[in-house]
Amino acid sequence: MPTILPEIRDFLALRRIALVGTSRDPKDLSRVLFREMCARGYDMVPVNPAADGQLEDKKCFARVQDIQPPVEGALVMTSSRGTKQVVQDCAEAGIRSVWLHRGAGPGSVTPEAVEFCREHEIHVVEGLCPFMFLSHTQFVHRLHGLVLKLTGSYPREIRRAA
């Protein structure tokens, strides 16, 4: 089942979010998104087992299970190879909302990770980029959303079954 707009709004309503796969490269999209979400008032927590110490002046964690105090959700920007382990880590950490990022290319989404989330009652946003859904975002992100609308791939405003 494709992601619907209420699921996206629910995720973006969370305030403390781990960004799993925060790059050590300050020019990487993950870091740009991290900074943007911090600027919008989100309490973002970087997660990268290869980073040592801090990223963006915030303590960086190796795994979501290590984060204290815990986060409400996880934005996953890893390669698809590691996604299933990340969602398993999220389940172990008690995280009930996950966004599997996809910009250009496959991103973090895998059928196995999505199935795991659904089987473990983790709300999952399958693909897409949060930039498209943040208000007053840059033109390129609005253009991405417009292209998805024109191709019929933009998330729909459908009510979830109770």
Side-chain angles (χ1 to χ4, degrees):
M1 166 191 283
T3 296
I4 57 176
L5 283 173
E7 293 169 328
I8 291 167
R9 283 194 292 270
D10 287 350
F11 187 91
L12 292 174
L14 304 174
R15 300 321 297 163
R16 185 163 164 79
I17 300 171
L19 198 155
V20 182
T22 307
S23 176
R24 292 177 289 172
D25 178 358
K27 295 179 184 173
D28 187 80
L29 177 64
S30 66
R31 292 283 288 275
V32 173
L33 182 55
F34 188 95
R35 287 189 294 270
E36 181 64 26
M37 292 186 77
C38 286
R40 290 171 181 260
Y42 290 93
D43 182 9
M44 299 298 292
V45 179
V47 178
N48 181 336
D52 210 12
Q54 294 193 334
L55 291 174
E56 299 294 331
D57 295 325
K58 293 189 176 241
K59 182 177 179 182
C60 185
F61 293 87
R63 306 174 321 144
V64 294
Q65 299 96 313
D66 300 333
I67 300 172
Q68 289 302 322
V71 294
E72 299 171 288
L75 172 55
V76 181
M77 294 185 75
T78 60
S79 72
S80 59
R81 290 184 316 272
T83 304
K84 186 161 184 209
Q85 183 61 56
V86 170
V87 295
Q88 289 171 338
D89 290 350
C90 288
E92 184 180 317
I95 297 170
R96 309 308 315 153
S97 292
V98 171
W99 186 312
L100 302 177
H101 178 269
R102 178 184 295 152
S108 297
V109 181
T110 68
E112 298 81 17
V114 171
E115 182 180 337
F116 179 89
C117 287
R118 292 206 170 112
E119 287 174 356
H120 292 83
E121 298 180 358
I122 296 172
H123 302 283
V124 61
V125 175
E126 292 179 56
L128 307 168
C129 178
F131 267 126
M132 290 190 307
F133 304 97
L134 297 173
S135 63
H136 309 293
T137 193
Q138 293 177 345
F139 174 75
V140 69
H141 304 296
R142 292 192 316 270
L143 180 62
H144 187 189
L146 177 62
V147 168
L148 291 182
K149 287 177 183 177
L150 294 173
T151 62
S153 302
Y154 194 82
R156 304 236 185 263
E157 183 68 62
I158 299 173
R159 299 205 185 268
R160 292 176 283 209

